[in-house]
Structure formats: C-alpha cells, structure tokens
C-alpha cells in the first residue's frame, strides 16, 4: 500500500484578522473642571468601547460603544455618571477597548 499525504499550502490557511491600531490620547485639560476632552485615533474602521471607570474599577460612564471610522475622534466627559449625576472630585480612568479585546487606559483628575 502507498499513502498520499497532503500538506496544506500557506495560501490554504485562513487570512489572519486585521489588527486595528488604536490609540487613546491624553485627555485635556487635565486636571479638569467642569469637562475634559478625550482623543481616540484608529488606523481603520473598528468597533470600540470608550468608558470612564473609577479607582475601584467600576464603570462610571460609557462615552462610546460601537463603530468608529478611521482617524481622530474626540469625546467630551462632563464629570457625570451614566445617570447624569455629578461625580465627586478624584482620579478616574478613561479606558478604550477594541474589538479584539485589547485595551488601554489613562488617568484623569476631576477637581472642584
């Protein structure tokens, strides 16, 4: 008996998923009162979540969830939670989570 063994060619492999380069910029002004601007830059269209979290890791507010186009985008946070209540002075983090699960965060300081 003889056996024929076929090796898959490189071209037979599925194409790797495109990795989106995402960048969460530093908010400005920082420290801030009453609001701050948070820049986000993407190198291609992608689905992302941008949220504000407190020092305990609890989500305070979701600033964006869904698709964004390529380029620079700016989001404004006015120091309020998802119910519209003013939060207390302190350190908060902006967190950007991409569709591939990668995330980055930056601190910001709300002063009153």
């Amino acid at each position: 008996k003889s056996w024929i063994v076929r090796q898959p060619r490189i071209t037979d492999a599925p194409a790797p998923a495109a990795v989106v380069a995402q960048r969460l910029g530093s908010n400005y002004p920082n420290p801030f009162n009453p609001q701050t601007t948070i820049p986000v830059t993407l190198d291609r269209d992608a689905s992302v979540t941008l949220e504000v979290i407190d020092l305990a890791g609890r989500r305070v507010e979701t600033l964006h969830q869904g698709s964004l186009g390529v380029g620079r985008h700016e989001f404004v946070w006015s120091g309020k939670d998802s119910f519209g209540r003013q939060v207390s002075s302190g350190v908060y983090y902006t967190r950007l989570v991409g569709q591939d699960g990668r995330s980055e965060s930056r601190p910001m300081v709300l002063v009153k």
Side-chain angles (χ1 to χ4, degrees):
K1 284 185 166 179
S2 62
W3 299 91
I4 298 175
V5 177
R6 294 187 181 207
Q7 296 288 333
R9 295 180 311 207
I10 298 284
T11 57
D12 291 341
V19 175
V20 176
Q22 62 190 35
R23 181 172 182 278
L24 175 61
S26 296
N27 66 297
Y28 60 90
N30 192 22
F32 69 96
N33 182 3
Q35 66 183 28
T36 189
T37 301
I38 303 156
V40 171
T41 305
L42 302 175
D43 75 339
R44 64 185 69 191
D45 296 352
S47 180
V48 298
T49 300
L50 180 65
E51 54 196 2
V52 176
I53 56 175
D54 65 16
L55 287 175
R58 296 176 296 231
R59 183 176 41 246
V60 173
E61 173 70 294
T62 300
L63 300 175
H64 180 82
Q65 186 170 21
S67 296
L68 275 183
V70 64
R72 180 181 164 100
H73 307 273
E74 293 187 340
F75 299 89
V76 175
W77 184 49
S78 59
K80 295 183 179 179
D81 68 12
S82 57
F83 299 104
R85 299 177 299 215
Q86 188 66 43
V87 299
S88 60
S89 295
V91 177
Y92 294 87
Y93 285 87
T94 51
R95 179 169 57 191
L96 177 65
V97 182
Q99 60 193 25
D100 60 1
R102 288 182 306 125
S103 69
E104 58 182 306
S105 59
R106 292 188 178 270
M108 55 186 173
V109 179
L110 172 60
V111 294
K112 292 186 180 181

